[in-house]
Amino acid sequence: MSTGSAMRTLTYHEAVREALWQAMEADPAVFLMGEDIAAYGGVYKVTAGFVDRFGADRVIDTPIAENAIIGAATGAALVGMRPIAEIQFADFIACGLDPLVNMTSTIHYRWGQPVPLVVRAPAGATWASAGPFHSQSPEAWFAQIPGLKVVMPATPADAKGLLTAAIRDPNPVIVLEQKYLYRRLSGPVPEGEHVVPLGRAAVARPGRDATVVAWGSMAFKALEAARMLADGDGIDVEVVDLRTIVPWDRDAVLASVARTGRAVVVYEAHRTAGFGAEVAATIAEDGFADLDAPVVRLAGLDTPIPAHPVLEAAYLPDEHAIADALRRLVAY
Amino acid sequence: MPLTPDDRRQLYRFMCLSRAVEDAAWALAGQGRLVGRLYTSHGQEAIPVGAAYALRPDDVIAPMYRDMGMHLVRGVAPVEVFAQYMGKRGSSNAGKDSGLHIGDMARGIVGMISVLPDSLPVAVGVALAFKLRREPRVALTSFGEGAASTGAFHEAVNMAAVMKVPVVLVCENNGWALSTPPEREFATAAIVDRAPAYGIPGVQVDGNDVEAVHAAVAEAAARARAGGGPTLIECLTMRMRGHSIIDPADYVPRAQLDAWAARDPLAGQRERLAAAGLWDDAREAALQAELRAEVDAAVHAAEAMEDPLPGDVHTGVFAA
Ligand SMILES: Cc1ncc(C[n+]2csc(CCOP(=O)(O)OP(=O)(O)O)c2C)c(N)n1
Ligand SMILES: [Mg+2]
């Protein structure tokens, strides 16, 4: 849903910036709050230059206080503002989890008041030794909380379009930006207004032999695996990028599995009770008749995310592990 | 107990060792030879050294990520520090975590995590156990002035005060919380202003004066040991490097750095020792040569250690 505008190539990081910038330009109710986001521009420099354009009233440096950041953003949203809270690393949302779990997420259900609030956070492993407290992928924490929406863009265009949709949504939306992709991934992004509706998956690559369902950095890795298999093995893989975790696009996933008959669900969060378990269970329940092989999960291990590169590599699924899983699945 | 001449020289030596270890670590990190990000105590060494030196061996520390000196005073050898920084298999974290997150209850060290300041409530619990068991031991924890903005700080300090547990709370106010200055972290003039609000004693000291830090912590620890509960100690200092090695810190005014550079805690203690006739150029040259050799040997020994094996990732999630 883009209004007739030219495409340019942007990095994922530039695309996030553009969504924020355009939202700030378009709606005076939108404002940013977070740690070190004003003059410093945030630890990943996503908001560099924003305070010069929009002023310190709309680009607010907060004390180190995640609970108060999320709680206060909720309060501002109740009286007509459109707050966008940046949490410096997704891992630290844990310090502000209570308002999300108990307050923000239940307000509309309990008394009918919308809470249009965005929490942005760089999430996921970096493949660069960020260790246990700067690598987590906490989407499943939030997926357990009715009333919160969760998005995890995997492309620059979606980074812009999903964030724009999140800002306009009348609900609290957690946007888990993939710090691994910020500067690694470039792609075409519409210049003007660009909205990707929440809740719709994308077929990132069509294929006949098997479906990979992935999100965030793992969608990026799954595409690499699909290319490897197409070139080296003659296996034609379809990659479904979930894009939105809550609400998630069951129909798109089931339709893909109906075409291919085989599914691997890939996620970098811990395997047990990760969101991929929900996807796999749904395929097994509602797509059983279409399956030619058991649904496979490939995920991070049930351990903290270790720092040393040898251990981190052992923790994380990568394109080779995804390709191996697909080879086994196709041979099943 | 007043400091003996030997204690005063030890305080200086530990600060110099801390500086030497961190200078070497800085160089190694720049060459990509460390795992994870490096944060150092350059300019604020007097606080961890003075604080840890004031404790007894069976007291427990819950330090923050810049507290190299606390680890050294507790007996962590430079080779252990470098092994930890390199993520070696035989290091404290065995490559599973990185940075100065060394934990070792045998030496009374609670390993920190990155989330701020999560060691603070833990230190209160350590102190609570000492109180319940009527052991004459104290817990000491340290945290930045920025970390004091969190709910965890408030809950922990309030609870410590209510329960009157033997904990010493050391705030290292180094002028910056990443890019955020104190006036955007709190609206009072000082962290120590909060002490009366919690109903506990508070004291502000020159954090670049190792003997002043030592005296304040010794007094607080004695009070805690005697059942007098927690003390909040605010140490004023300056972060002389970037927040971490990748932060150029161009937001820090030059004049602020210059003013504090003139008050270097190592130079200050050296001059004080010299004025008291306890130090001279020959001792200085010998110490620096000794530290250089110790640090070089530690780096080499650490580098020779084994890296983790992929299968190690699975071990240790649960205790047996
Ligand atoms: C709960 C939490 N929020 C944010 C961060 C990111 N962070 C790491 S260090 C830091 C600044 C800390 O400043 P201060 O407490 O003053 O300690 P200093 O680094 O100055 O020694 C921030 C914001 C974190 N580690 N934990
Ligand atoms: Mg500080």
Side-chain angles (χ1 to χ4, degrees):
Chain A
M1 242 189 281
S2 309
T3 47
S5 66
M7 291 283 194
R8 302 89 7 100
T9 297
L10 296 184
T11 63
Y12 187 106
H13 180 267
E14 289 164 338
V16 172
R17 285 175 53 78
E18 190 164 274
L20 292 173
W21 192 276
Q22 290 180 357
M24 296 281 283
E25 292 283 6
D27 183 353
V30 174
F31 72 100
L32 312 178
M33 61 193 294
E35 295 158 14
D36 304 288
I37 66 164
Y40 196 64
V43 293
Y44 285 99
K45 304 293 173 198
V46 168
T47 54
F50 276 59
V51 72
D52 303 324
R53 171 71 185 91
F54 301 107
D57 282 352
R58 295 183 67 200
V59 185
I60 304 171
D61 270 341
T62 66
I64 302 172
E66 287 77 11
N67 197 295
I69 292 170
I70 291 171
T74 299
L78 289 177
V79 291
M81 300 298 281
R82 293 259 167 182
I84 303 176
E86 174 176 302
I87 300 297
Q88 206 160 71
F89 288 90
D91 314 66
F92 306 150
I93 298 180
C95 304
L97 208 54
D98 172 57
L100 283 176
V101 168
N102 290 311
M103 169 70 83
T104 316
S105 58
T106 67
I107 287 175
H108 189 264
Y109 185 71
R110 293 180 298 116
W111 47 286
Q113 177 68 33
V115 187
L117 140 68
V118 172
V119 177
R120 299 177 36 245
T126 57
W127 276 266
S129 297
F133 314 110
H134 296 82
S135 299
Q136 295 175 83
S137 225
E139 68 273 16
W141 304 358
F142 309 117
Q144 265 289 311
I145 311 303
L148 299 179
K149 296 187 178 183
V150 185
V151 303
M152 284 174 81
T155 68
D158 287 348
K160 177 173 177 181
L162 289 169
L163 180 52
T164 304
I167 295 167
R168 295 180 186 184
D169 199 273
N171 294 286
V173 185
I174 319 284
V175 181
L176 297 175
E177 294 167 7
Q178 302 296 287
K179 55 185 180 285
Y180 178 67
L181 301 179
Y182 269 150
R183 294 169 198 281
R184 184 169 273 103
L185 183 60
S186 297
V189 180
E191 192 171 321
E193 174 174 292
H194 175 55
V195 185
V196 173
L198 304 185
R200 300 227 191 113
V203 176
R205 182 190 196 283
R208 289 184 318 266
D209 298 332
T211 296
V212 179
V213 185
W215 47 94
S217 299
M218 286 297 141
F220 173 81
K221 296 275 176 193
L223 284 169
E224 283 186 34
R227 277 189 289 272
M228 284 167 42
L229 291 172
D231 296 346
D233 300 67
I235 297 176
D236 188 20
V237 173
E238 177 149 307
V239 177
V240 176
D241 172 2
L242 214 51
R243 305 202 287 190
T244 303
I245 308 302
V246 181
W248 71 284
D249 194 345
R250 289 153 214 263
D251 293 345
V253 169
L254 292 169
S256 175
V257 175
R259 286 190 292 274
T260 64
R262 291 175 158 82
V264 181
V265 186
V266 187
Y267 52 109
E268 67 171 269
H270 313 295
R271 175 184 173 93
T272 299
F275 193 71
E278 180 64 28
V279 176
T282 300
I283 297 171
E285 269 185 322
D286 299 336
F288 187 72
D290 296 316
L291 287 171
D292 298 323
V295 184
V296 171
R297 276 180 295 160
L298 188 64
L301 302 177
D302 289 327
T303 72
I305 304 170
H308 193 283
V310 166
L311 301 176
E312 189 183 24
Y315 171 89
L316 285 166
D318 66 3
E319 58 274 24
H320 302 288
I322 299 170
D324 284 345
L326 283 159
R327 284 188 194 101
R328 282 195 301 274
L329 190 65
V330 169
Y332 178 85
Chain B
M1 241 193 324
L3 289 166
T4 65
D6 196 46
D7 288 331
R8 301 177 69 189
R9 281 190 295 254
Q10 279 296 323
L11 289 171
Y12 177 59
R13 186 186 184 282
F14 275 120
M15 289 195 292
C16 291
L17 178 58
S18 172
R19 179 80 51 99
V21 167
E22 291 191 330
D23 282 346
W26 196 273
L28 291 167
Q31 297 158 5
R33 287 155 76 188
L34 302 187
V35 169
R37 201 165 284 171
L38 182 69
Y39 308 81
T40 65
S41 67
H42 282 95
Q44 50 192 89
E45 293 93 340
I47 302 165
V49 168
Y53 202 82
L55 299 179
R56 296 183 187 165
D58 66 347
D59 293 336
V60 166
I61 59 167
M64 55 106 70
Y65 44 100
R66 300 194 193 281
D67 286 335
M68 176 64 70
M70 278 200 204
H71 291 276
L72 298 173
V73 171
R74 295 302 285 203
V76 175
V79 62
E80 294 178 82
V81 172
F82 290 114
Q84 166 72 11
Y85 278 161
M86 294 172 187
K88 294 297 187 177
R89 197 165 190 227
S91 67
S92 173
N93 293 171
K96 290 169 174 173
D97 195 4
S98 64
L100 213 53
H101 294 195
I102 294 172
D104 180 9
M105 291 316 294
R107 286 181 286 194
I109 304 170
V110 176
M112 66 166 294
I113 63 169
S114 305
V115 190
L116 300 170
D118 283 4
S119 287
L120 212 163
V122 174
V124 172
V126 169
L128 174 63
F130 294 160
K131 183 186 165 187
L132 296 177
R133 297 197 302 239
R134 296 185 164 67
E135 293 170 0
R137 301 165 72 185
V138 308
L140 178 145
T141 189
S142 57
F143 48 89
E145 81 291 347
S149 298
T150 58
F153 171 90
H154 170 73
E155 293 184 22
V157 178
N158 182 62
M159 195 164 103
V162 168
M163 297 180 174
K164 269 198 159 212
V165 302
V167 67
V168 180
L169 308 163
V170 178
C171 178
E172 307 193 20
N173 183 345
N174 63 0
W176 295 91
L178 215 174
S179 75
T180 306
E183 63 270 21
R184 270 184 277 142
E185 290 287 351
F186 45 92
T188 52
I191 293 284
V192 74
D193 295 347
R194 300 180 194 184
Y198 290 111
I200 61 174
V203 55
Q204 193 180 60
V205 298
D206 177 356
N208 283 25
D209 178 342
V210 69
E211 296 190 10
V213 172
H214 177 273
V217 172
E219 188 186 328
R223 177 163 45 240
R225 240 182 275 283
T231 302
L232 177 61
I233 302 174
E234 179 178 17
C235 304
L236 298 179
T237 186
M238 174 65 191
R239 194 191 76 202
M240 297 302 288
R241 295 275 169 101
H243 173 66
S244 75
I245 190 160
I246 62 157
D247 172 27
D250 41 22
Y251 49 84
V252 175
R254 188 73 245 171
Q256 189 184 16
L257 283 171
D258 290 345
W260 283 93
R263 309 194 45 240
D264 179 66
L266 282 63
Q269 184 66 2
R270 183 168 59 241
E271 283 154 23
R272 187 182 305 172
L273 290 176
L278 299 174
W279 203 251
D280 56 30
D281 289 349
R283 280 179 185 267
E284 179 67 19
L287 175 65
Q288 293 305 335
E290 176 204 324
L291 295 181
R292 234 184 341 264
E294 183 177 357
V295 168
D296 280 353
V299 170
H300 285 115
E303 269 187 324
M305 288 169 67
E306 183 185 18
D307 283 324
L309 303 174
D312 295 348
V313 71
H314 301 287
T315 63
V317 176
F318 295 103

